[in-house]
Amino acid sequence: KLTTATWNVRSLVEDSGDHRICRRNTAGDSGVDRKIDFLAKEFEKHGVEVAGVQESKWFGSDVWTAGEWTFLHSGRPLPQDGEPARRNEGVGIMLNGPMTACWKRSGQQWKAVTSRIVTARLLIGAKGDKLPGG
């Protein structure tokens, strides 16, 4: 048994920090939980192992972590100098610790197709896996 979920988060944009995910680019970490950390805690609380996330409104495509969770993100390209910063769309797949291990074992295969589509390959059921529900 594998528990999956989706969440239209409406925005994961932060007030300050990394320019790809924040309104203002500031150096250093404020020490507070990011919205992605809150998301991971909520998925953990509900026993979710793999989750689709919509409307992150982040720029770029990258792999982010939140505790033991991995977030494979696909968003709009970063705007070039002088271009308006349109924060629309952005999708991702969140994987808990065991599913992150399955993803890594598959060769960390994932593809940011568009700001609305992201794919990932997980090798589930290999010898020694702690399978969901088992």
Side-chain angles (χ1 to χ4, degrees), residues 104-126:
K104 287 180 177 179
R105 193 171 31 260
S106 77
Q108 299 184 358
Q109 296 179 53
W110 75 289
K111 184 175 182 181
V113 180
T114 69
S115 61
R116 296 181 187 267
I117 300 171
V118 61
T119 64
R121 182 174 301 265
L122 308 177
L123 179 58
I124 300 174

Side-chain angles (χ1 to χ4, degrees), residues 3 5 7 30 33 37 45 59-61 73 88 93 120 122 132:
T3 305
W7 191 346
S30 64
D33 283 349
D37 296 313
K45 181 169 77 173
F59 291 123
S61 301
H73 178 262
N88 297 323
I93 300 171
L122 308 177

